[in-house]
Amino acid sequence: MPTPPEPVRPDDPPPAVVKAADILAEAARTGVACPPVRGLLPADDVAAAYAVQRLTVERELAAGGRIVGRKTGLTSPAVQAQLGVDSPDFGTLLAAMAVPEGTPVPAGRLLQPKVEAEVALVLAADLPHRDCTVADVLRATDFALAALEIVDSRVAGWDISLVDTVADNASSGLFVLGSAPVPVTGLDLRGIRMTMTRNGEQVSAGTGADCLGSPLNAAAWLAGSLAAAGDPLRAGDLVLTGALGPMVPAAPGDLFEAHLSGLGSVQARFATDEADGGHR
């Protein structure tokens, strides 16, 4: 299991961190993707990238946003291969990222959306320990759900390194949760089979074992990483554990549906225009 990162927590972010956050924020605001930000930060400095992410989230909270959970990214070998990285990362989920199932994803809301199917967990207890175990995760989990994460990158052409995606809040975009919560007791999350279709054609498949060996492993890694950063998972948090298969580009009008054995199905539809689904 990868060693959890320990992001620095400066009182005043360095100018390079502020500049990277400003560039990513401008891309999100205008809908015009930006160049990679990795050149602004020390080479391979993941701690600095998490400082960019943290500053972005703090700005969202200051503007009235609300944290509802966390996500683990880059857990699937297929997705790591797609992006040319070799370790997981994490990001923050805000209430504004939630799209109710059955509600179209607004046209123009995201820059370069891609869809991946995941296991979502909702916690009933805190996970405060750096050495979090799978047993800790199981005891703390209230229920599981099928989920679709709609990832996005503010960096043009998804030209990202690990530093870029971490700084960009782990390439977070939106998420859709299924409507059938399932207790984890007796549920074989490692053995879950996932298939995902786009407009009725299968475009992705995988199993729970494709997510760091199990979605529970991914959740334990996330819990330990956040505890090490001094910001642990809390009761009520939503945890998106990571992709079970390759992510797939989305276009206006697309309908995605994922089926996860034992957890049911979840759908996401992309609006064709602003009248269909709203605006940025």
Side-chain angles (χ1 to χ4, degrees), residues 9-271:
R9 305 183 70 84
D11 294 331
D12 295 310
V17 167
V18 175
K19 185 173 182 179
D22 288 346
I23 289 171
L24 292 167
E26 182 69 4
R29 185 187 69 80
T30 62
V32 178
C34 62
V37 297
R38 55 185 176 267
L40 299 173
L41 304 172
D44 302 319
D45 191 340
V46 178
Y50 276 111
V52 176
Q53 179 187 132
R54 186 169 55 255
L55 178 57
T56 297
V57 172
E58 288 171 352
R59 289 172 171 178
E60 293 283 352
L61 297 180
R66 179 171 65 90
I67 295 174
V68 295
R70 304 299 181 112
K71 60 164 280 187
T72 309
L74 306 177
T75 56
S76 163
V79 173
Q80 289 183 0
Q82 283 180 301
L83 296 180
V85 299
D86 60 3
S87 64
D89 67 351
F90 61 79
T92 299
L93 302 174
L94 299 167
M97 297 176 181
V99 177
E101 191 174 21
T103 299
V105 176
R109 174 75 181 273
L110 302 175
L111 280 70
Q112 306 170 97
K114 299 185 180 188
V115 181
E116 54 191 38
E118 308 191 9
V119 174
L121 304 177
V122 176
L123 301 182
D126 298 350
L127 285 170
H129 304 299
R130 293 186 179 211
D131 57 350
C132 182
T133 68
V134 165
D136 293 328
V137 173
L138 285 169
R139 281 193 297 267
T141 299
D142 192 4
F143 55 85
L145 294 161
L148 291 173
E149 185 182 2
I150 306 168
V151 295
D152 195 21
S153 180
R154 272 51 66 177
V155 176
W158 281 87
D159 177 15
I160 60 175
S161 67
L162 180 61
V163 165
D164 291 299
T165 187
V166 167
D168 195 19
N169 195 21
S171 301
S172 296
L174 305 171
F175 61 87
V176 183
L177 299 178
S179 56
V182 178
V184 294
T185 305
L187 187 63
D188 178 12
L189 291 177
R190 187 178 191 278
I192 278 179
R193 298 180 303 280
M194 178 279 293
T195 56
M196 185 173 72
T197 61
R198 178 180 58 193
N199 304 324
E201 178 183 357
Q202 183 172 314
V203 288
S204 184
T207 70
D210 293 321
C211 178
L212 285 188
S214 167
L216 294 172
N217 293 343
W221 178 87
L222 175 65
S225 299
L226 291 170
D231 189 17
L233 289 169
R234 300 295 187 188
D237 279 350
L238 168 69
V239 175
L240 295 181
T241 56
L244 303 180
M247 57 186 182
V248 179
D254 280 347
L255 174 65
F256 284 82
E257 181 171 10
H259 178 77
L260 282 68
S261 61
L263 291 177
S265 299
V266 58
Q267 288 187 347
R269 182 170 74 85
F270 287 77

